[in-house]
Amino acid sequence: MKKFVSWNVNGIRACLGKDFIESFKALGADIFCLQETKVQPGQVELDLPGYHQYWSCAEKKGYSGTALFAKEEPLSVSYGIGIPEHDTEGRVITAEFPSFFFVTVYTPNSRDGLVRLDYRMKWEDDFADYVSRLNEQKPVIFCGDLNVAHEDIDLKNPASNHKNPGFTDEERAKFGAMLERGFTDSFRYFYPELEEAYSWWSYRFSSRARNAGWRIDYFIVSDKIKDKMKNSVIHSEIFGSDHCPVELDIDI
């Protein structure tokens, strides 16, 4: 069985000062992915014995960025989704293994006032096309901060957040449409009715202490291999970021 972990660290350099290495070791993942690393090439070096490291950095300093650490060396690794307007922010890393593709993604935020919603809609269509093309070749697992709470159950205060970034009708519909292409939300597969299970909490208003959060970090699995999934875990006990790590256990 393989253990995969994904974590939006909200700045890897800051997270390193908050016991990141200890958490990394304790989780013991076969593949460990980061989003929102906020570093440029050469700004950080992690000593992670036994792991192959792959980093994708945004052109803009201190912004976005992803990383993927794998015990098994992939057959190939690619960065971005092959569309220039999307590929300057370091949001996607794809690792190919013999029996599956593994993708980590940091989905663009629609931002306050939904000023980036139109761009987000284009991104959603293009990313869904990308993983669907991969899925035609071999099964896909993708993970990361998808910046959307799919259903009312996925955030503490759905009524007051309706039409806010991450909970607009448009974003939620795109998520649903992506699942309809042949993918499964691993956490809801195992826990379809579990409430108050969140992966992100605002730093404001003591949100984490009150568990007033959102579930916006996911492992999405090709329907072709969903029966191989064993569990999906939200590690809300792990601190160091405004997000917590999420985990997929799968027999692959």
Side-chain angles (χ1 to χ4, degrees):
M1 189 176 72
K2 300 291 188 183
K3 176 192 284 192
F4 302 141
V5 171
S6 176
W7 193 4
N8 178 322
V9 291
N10 193 12
I12 182 59
R13 288 175 293 181
C15 198
L16 282 169
K18 301 174 183 176
D19 298 325
F20 170 81
I21 295 297
E22 289 79 358
S23 297
F24 180 91
K25 291 178 178 177
L27 288 167
D30 294 283
I31 300 176
F32 199 117
C33 296
L34 309 181
Q35 301 87 43
E36 207 170 358
T37 53
K38 296 183 178 179
V39 289
Q40 300 300 116
Q43 284 190 322
V44 66
E45 290 188 10
L46 298 186
D47 183 21
L48 305 175
Y51 287 86
H52 303 274
Q53 299 190 30
Y54 306 94
W55 296 77
S56 185
C57 304
E59 292 180 1
K60 180 180 177 182
K61 292 182 178 180
Y63 180 72
S64 188
T66 49
L68 186 152
F69 313 132
K71 287 183 177 178
E72 177 185 346
E73 185 174 6
L75 299 175
S76 65
V77 176
S78 61
Y79 303 90
I81 61 175
I83 298 176
E85 72 171 304
H86 298 317
D87 290 347
T88 63
E89 297 183 350
R91 293 187 177 274
V92 178
I93 303 174
T94 301
E96 179 183 2
F97 294 93
S99 60
F100 64 101
F101 286 103
F102 191 99
V103 181
T104 186
V105 56
Y106 177 37
T107 300
N109 191 300
S110 295
R111 294 185 181 170
D112 290 344
L114 303 179
V115 296
R116 218 181 185 199
L117 182 61
D118 288 345
Y119 171 73
R120 167 72 176 265
M121 294 296 98
K122 179 72 162 56
W123 163 278
E124 292 282 359
D125 290 340
D126 291 341
F127 182 76
D129 287 344
Y130 174 73
V131 293
S132 295
R133 288 194 300 271
L134 293 179
N135 198 39
E136 292 173 359
Q137 301 174 50
K138 60 180 74 172
V140 175
I141 297 168
F142 69 92
C143 67
D145 176 0
L146 302 187
N147 261 316
V148 62
H150 185 209
E151 304 288 357
D152 286 2
I153 194 175
D154 294 316
L155 73 168
K156 182 70 171 182
N157 298 303
S160 60
N161 281 293
H162 186 223
K163 300 185 179 181
N164 281 344
F167 200 58
T168 63
D169 293 339
E170 294 90 341
E171 291 162 317
R172 296 166 67 194
K174 291 294 187 186
F175 186 93
M178 182 268 297
L179 295 180
E180 290 173 1
R181 289 181 179 232
F183 294 96
T184 293
D185 173 355
S186 64
F187 188 78
R188 286 296 172 219
Y189 177 86
F190 290 105
Y191 308 105
E193 298 179 0
L194 183 61
E195 298 180 357
E196 297 188 346
Y198 308 129
S199 65
W200 172 78
W201 304 262
S202 170
Y203 280 135
R204 304 171 65 192
F205 311 123
S206 301
S207 296
R208 191 156 185 174
R210 298 185 296 112
N211 197 29
W214 299 47
R215 189 176 72 93
I216 59 176
D217 300 88
Y218 297 84
F219 270 94
I220 307 296
V221 176
S222 170
D223 287 348
K224 299 173 185 177
I225 54 172
K226 67 181 182 181
D227 60 335
K228 296 180 181 294
M229 297 190 299
K230 300 303 180 185
N231 200 8
S232 187
V233 182
I234 298 176
H235 285 284
S236 56
E237 79 282 3
I238 295 179
F239 289 75
S241 170
D242 51 350
H243 296 248
C244 73
V246 295
E247 174 184 329
L248 172 69
D249 301 326
I250 185 168
D251 185 11
I252 194 169

